[in-house]
Amino acid sequence: MNADPAAQRRLLDLAVVDADLTRAAHRRRSLPELAEIEQADKNLRASRDSLVAAETAASDLDRDIRKLEAEIDQVQARGERDRGLLDSGSISSGKQLEDLQHELTTLRRRQSVLEDDLLEVMERREATETELERGRAGLAEIEQRRFDAVRRRDAALADLDATETTRKQQRQAIIGELPTELVALYERIRARNGTGAALLREGRCGACRLELDRTALGRIREAPPDQVVRCEECGAVLVRTAESGL
Ligand SMILES: [Zn+2]
């Protein structure tokens, strides 16, 4: 294929724009914030699960506390009733008095056991509260970290959007100046190998970095300037300039 050497050189500008577009696409997929957000989501799930477990434990303990308190109230009420009866002097039977005394002793013992139980449950409830507070603080921290990562990701994406819009406009402008056939060739090579055109610099292909041998260089040296020459290794259009080392 033949093409005006100026058009061939312009392919280098197109290749620079395309390399930028490729970099932007790669960056879009590999933003560190994406992994950060994914990790934060995992941590959020784990943190929420353990918070739910602590909340369940706390509400179970609250229920136990209410039950024990109700039992203590009952025992106390019963004791007060018994003491009322004793104090009233209305009971004259010695057997009845003895039974009442006995019941009061039993009730005192029972109350003491219940109060010990209540104390123990309340201590566990307090420990659970500490755990809950820690869990809530941990969750808030993870949510904040995720929020920050999302903000950074969105800023990076907005930058990439702007870069891509500019580069695509530049791409269209360059393509508009070039012969259709040359662009078609460039696009074909780019689709296959990633780089459509490169500078031949000091005898080396700018796309695959291969150093051309003397025979290949000789062929290129003898080719007319408007002939489109290509790298034998990667197929890229090799653009010749004063830097080519020919
Ligand atoms: Zn090459």
Side-chain angles (χ1 to χ4, degrees):
M1 183 188 293
N2 292 336
D4 180 349
Q8 292 188 40
R9 280 196 299 276
R10 195 73 170 120
L11 278 184
L12 292 178
D13 298 331
L14 187 57
V16 167
V17 168
D18 280 339
D20 252 10
L21 279 169
T22 303
R23 263 196 300 278
H26 177 260
R27 180 156 163 70
R28 189 181 280 280
R29 287 191 303 273
S30 59
L31 284 175
E33 285 81 8
L34 297 178
E36 238 179 284
I37 293 167
E38 200 179 88
Q39 185 60 50
D41 283 340
K42 254 186 234 165
N43 294 347
L44 271 183
R45 277 194 293 275
S47 178
R48 281 185 186 131
D49 284 352
S50 63
L51 200 56
V52 166
E55 275 163 354
T56 308
S59 87
D60 286 352
L61 289 169
D62 283 340
R63 196 196 51 215
D64 292 348
I65 287 170
R66 282 194 301 275
K67 215 173 113 194
L68 282 167
E69 281 172 344
E71 274 187 75
I72 290 168
D73 284 349
Q74 269 178 1
V75 169
Q76 271 175 338
R78 182 78 181 250
E80 272 161 35
R81 194 206 63 175
D82 287 356
R83 271 190 298 278
L85 270 176
L86 274 180
D87 296 346
S88 72
S90 61
I91 294 165
S92 47
S93 152
K95 171 81 174 80
Q96 246 184 321
L97 282 173
E98 204 179 309
D99 283 351
L100 268 179
Q101 297 283 11
H102 180 73
E103 188 175 85
L104 274 170
T105 311
T106 309
L107 286 171
R108 268 196 298 275
R109 218 177 290 140
R110 174 85 185 125
Q111 183 170 347
S112 154
V113 168
L114 286 171
E115 281 171 350
D116 285 349
D117 286 355
L118 180 60
L119 200 67
E120 195 213 309
V121 175
M122 285 172 102
E123 276 167 6
R124 275 162 57 200
R125 178 64 180 82
E126 213 169 298
T128 308
E129 190 58 37
T130 311
E131 201 183 317
L132 273 176
E133 277 163 20
R134 238 196 330 258
R136 289 191 192 108
L139 186 64
E141 199 186 307
I142 299 167
E143 278 170 343
Q144 184 61 50
R145 266 210 301 275
R146 190 188 187 282
F147 180 80
D148 289 344
V150 166
R151 211 172 34 194
R152 278 184 278 114
R153 177 202 62 189
D154 290 348
L157 287 180
D159 273 356
L160 286 171
D161 284 347
T163 303
E164 284 176 344
T165 304
T166 313
R167 293 293 176 267
K168 280 177 184 162
Q169 282 165 354
Q170 290 170 336
R171 182 166 216 284
Q172 280 319 109
I174 297 171
I175 284 175
E177 302 167 14
L178 295 174
T180 318
E181 268 179 40
L182 184 63
V183 172
L185 174 68
Y186 170 89
E187 296 287 36
R188 253 199 331 272
I189 302 167
R190 190 171 78 96
R192 203 169 51 225
N193 295 336
T195 306
L199 177 65
L200 175 65
R201 188 200 295 268
E202 289 163 7
R204 196 181 285 273
C205 167
C208 67
R209 307 283 158 195
L210 188 89
E211 201 169 347
L212 277 70
D213 61 32
R214 291 157 64 92
T215 324
L217 278 177
R219 257 201 309 272
I220 292 173
R221 193 179 296 120
E222 278 150 34
D226 65 346
Q227 186 182 325
V228 174
V229 297
R230 294 172 57 184
C231 170
E232 286 174 356
E233 182 65 20
C234 71
V237 170
L238 285 175
V239 178
R240 288 160 283 171
T241 71
E243 296 172 66
S244 293
L246 291 169

